[in-house]
Amino acid sequence: MTRALIADDEPNLAEHLRGRLAQLWPELEILPLAANGLEALRALDEDEPEVAFLDIRMPGLSGLEVAGRSGHATHVVFVTAYDQYAVEAFDREAADYVLKPVTDERLEKCIERLKKKLAAAERPPALDDVLARIARAIPGAAGGKLRWIRASKGEVVRQIAVDDVLYFQASDKYTCVMTREGESLIRLPLAELADQLDPEAFAQIHRGTIVNLREVASTRRDLGGRTFVMLRDGKTELPVSRAYAPLFKQM
């Protein structure tokens, strides 16, 4: 049975695509949805589906980055909100695409192409050239620093602007996102999150803490020589480990 991965940070659109695929390609097995690029890459590595529908813009890693990093023989279909002019950069022989919102007519054509490739046991071609072409044609498609985070607070999933975050704190395999509105949780280890943050705006101050530098109001040293940062909310003080203390001597 052919298996497919859908990766999109917009759950309604992802569910819509899953529903249409279930209707138009009922023998296709659809894996659990991936909500960001890192989840998508992990699913490609672990499950090795034959087909992947990748949103171009996703937090963590863009669809282009996921396609470029995956080392498996997966036929990639990019899901994009860009218009026809922009998607001229695609080469359907290498990587197909469907526009949001996905229409049955376009999806049927895409399914037909995929079935032919799979029936012929055709291996997916190298994507380097087409990925570079798409990246040049669509601003920001190649990825960039994280601007929004989807974080859970109980049963509610919040969309949080990274600029509004006071600090991130490691919590086992998760990361706590601290804002003035309280604490939320993302399913991503702090070490993986760090690579996606703008180093001009965020700095690691402790093994388990990354602070928004724009929220730092002051620093102090106690009698033991330990450094602390006080945030602009006026009530949060965070310890700075000795390894990161020199950062604040330069500020």
Side-chain angles (χ1 to χ4, degrees), residues 2-231:
T2 302
R3 297 175 305 154
L5 171 71
I6 298 174
D8 196 322
D9 64 325
E10 298 178 81
N12 292 339
L13 295 177
E15 288 293 349
H16 173 72
L17 177 57
R18 176 156 63 179
R20 299 320 304 150
L21 283 170
Q23 183 73 30
L24 299 171
W25 196 353
E27 63 271 30
L28 181 69
E29 179 185 347
I30 302 175
L31 299 174
L33 299 177
N36 57 57
L38 292 172
E39 287 186 11
L41 188 60
R42 195 172 298 135
L44 289 177
D45 288 343
E46 293 177 357
D47 299 320
E48 302 184 24
E50 290 78 14
V51 179
F53 292 84
L54 304 177
D55 185 22
I56 284 190
R57 283 189 182 276
M58 289 188 290
L61 296 171
S62 73
L64 301 192
E65 291 173 308
V66 173
R69 292 190 191 189
S70 174
H72 300 289
T74 299
H75 292 277
V76 173
V77 178
F78 288 109
V79 184
T80 174
Y82 292 98
D83 60 18
Q84 188 67 38
Y85 176 77
V87 298
E88 286 179 0
F90 287 84
D91 177 352
R92 293 180 193 175
E93 295 303 315
D96 206 347
Y97 71 92
V98 289
L99 287 174
K100 294 181 181 181
V102 178
T103 65
D104 283 0
E105 180 182 7
R106 182 67 186 86
L107 190 57
E108 284 175 329
K109 291 180 180 176
C110 176
I111 291 171
E112 183 180 346
R113 288 194 186 99
L114 287 169
K115 285 183 174 179
K116 286 181 180 177
K117 290 174 185 283
L118 293 167
E122 184 179 316
R123 285 187 61 81
L127 290 177
D128 293 351
D129 290 343
V130 71
L131 294 181
R133 196 158 58 245
I134 297 169
R136 287 194 297 271
I138 301 178
K145 295 305 176 184
L146 202 60
R147 294 185 301 160
W148 294 88
I149 284 176
R150 292 168 53 81
S152 301
K153 188 172 186 178
E155 297 180 347
V156 177
V157 178
R158 301 170 61 200
Q159 188 85 356
I160 301 172
V162 170
D163 289 346
D164 293 337
V165 175
L166 299 176
Y167 62 96
F168 297 99
Q169 198 151 53
S171 177
D172 196 12
K173 296 179 181 178
Y174 300 88
T175 297
C176 292
V177 182
M178 306 300 299
T179 68
R180 285 181 169 78
E181 287 70 43
E183 176 182 333
S184 303
L185 206 62
I186 55 176
R187 294 187 300 171
L188 188 68
L190 189 72
E192 291 186 23
L193 175 68
D195 292 337
Q196 304 170 44
L197 297 172
D198 181 357
E200 297 292 323
F202 289 87
Q204 189 142 14
I205 60 171
H206 195 278
R207 186 175 60 182
T209 310
I210 294 175
V211 71
N212 185 344
L213 292 172
R214 286 167 292 211
E215 294 292 340
V216 174
S218 61
T219 62
R220 74 174 178 89
R221 296 183 67 184
D222 67 7
L223 295 176
R226 294 174 299 181
T227 302
F228 297 83
V229 295
M230 174 62 75
L231 302 190

